Amino acid sequence: DNLFNTHTEHRNPSIMAEEDAPTKQVTEGVKDLQVVEGRRAIASSGPQMGEKGPQKIGGDSFTVRTANPPFLQERESIYAQIKERRDAEFSQKIPVDITVTMPDGNTLSKNKDDTPFQSWKTTPYDVAKSIAQGLADSSTVARVTYDSFVADYDPAQDGMESADTMLDAMDEANEDSPDSEGGDKTFLWDLGRPLVGNVARLELLKFNDDQDAKTTFWHSSAHMLGEALEHLYGTKLTIGPPLKGGFYYDSYMGKDAFREEDYKPVEQEMTKIIKKKQKFERMVVTKDEALELFADNPFKQEILTTKVPNGTRTTVYKCGDLIDLCRGPHLMHTGKVKAFAATRHSATNWLGDTDNDSLQRMYGISFPDKKMLKVWKENQEKAKERDHRRLMTKQQLVMFHELSPGSAFWLPHGTRIYNKLIDFIKEHYWIRGYDEIITPNAYNLELWNISGHAMHYKDAMFCFDVEGQEWALKPMNCPGHCLM
């Protein structure tokens, strides 16, 4: 149906005779429309289009590239003040002995020196080390299923009941987000974060074996990329999520934009960050503390204002002088990343809305072994050789033009292939018992109100005004078939 503006109706009489309920509803509804062949729309009926103004919040928060901007030190100073308050709270916690059950059913309760595992002290890394130092060092993150929490643990006070601000922002931008944690008491847990109860199952996840481990690895790498971008350019960071294969960070840069020549400085700065082995620190903050911490960043302010309820807590992570809103978990330190490459950049918009501020996105890839990056680059080169975008240019099949972005201009060689495919499809329409019909591309929105399309996803339809009435390009063919 999408290749050209002809569609098909099946010729099977028994099928044509049986009109299902949804079809009948639309058919009956359109009978009440005043349809006069050749008539133009009039202003007396039909819903009017609303207007939506631009939502710009970046302003002059970024004006020019500035290396190591002053806000880095100011933010660290505020962080240190908040940390004193959290440390005072933590000192009131009372460690109690706990047990940890491994996937093989073995229950552990002591370190190698026979000291007991205790809440608020023992970490997944400690548990792994009690088995083997190599296991601890090769693990990326833990998956913890609690049997019970200790009496003085409150998930809300620990920031665990607040929204995942990064995932929420990704959802609003219609970005694919990583899978969420499963179960009320199962969490992905930093290897260096103290346990807070008896553990029914502790899994130590490795990069090569588990997607959650890869996600954590690339999430931490995104934070490191954000740190590099702040160091080099003073960008205003927005969100920096992991992907299925890599990560990116979106930055507000005013009218500035990333260029390919930025890749090498970013990679050099990442190398410095890796060599410093900066620890990833988790800290719980109140909403007011977070607003103070990110007073210089209107995008973090927007996330906090809209996603974190008043009177609640959320979490931030620190590595080096980067401090970022984040649910976690993360690597033990930046030295776990052994290889990094900036892969590409693009423009995007805050929350995926073109009415919002324009952002600059830089993509990256990282690995715990330099050999993995080498293999990845080799595979990328092989993929380029098979890339249809390269082949269609080389074979002079299709071209594109900025005056109709995203739309294909079929060149003579490409048109021959296109027509061959159309002939194949048309032949199979007839063989399989279908007749072709042609219906209009645009309809009065009233049709889509009757069919239910407007109610369910009008925001995703292409609507426009025709002499005072609202019309829309068809999102599907069926309601037009019902009119016929």
Side-chain angles (χ1 to χ4, degrees), residues 80-123:
Q81 296 171 29
I82 300 171
K83 190 172 187 303
E84 287 183 7
R85 295 195 281 271
R86 291 300 92 79
D87 288 345
E89 291 177 7
F90 190 81
S91 67
Q92 301 301 310
K93 302 298 182 182
I94 302 173
V96 297
D97 293 354
I98 58 172
T99 59
V100 176
T101 302
M102 304 304 290
D104 62 2
N106 188 25
T107 299
L108 308 176
S109 60
K110 294 180 180 180
N111 295 294
K112 281 190 173 181
D113 61 2
D114 280 340
T115 56
F117 291 164
Q118 290 192 314
S119 62
W120 305 111
K121 286 187 176 181
T122 302
T123 66

Side-chain angles (χ1 to χ4, degrees), residues 130-141:
S130 74
I131 301 171
Q133 185 67 52
L135 175 63
D137 292 338
S138 63
S139 297
T140 300
V141 69

Side-chain angles (χ1 to χ4, degrees), residues 177-195:
S177 57
D179 294 335
S180 59
E181 297 160 347
D184 292 338
K185 290 186 177 181
T186 299
F187 308 94
L188 288 177
W189 204 265
D190 305 86
L191 287 176
R193 180 180 170 190
L195 297 167

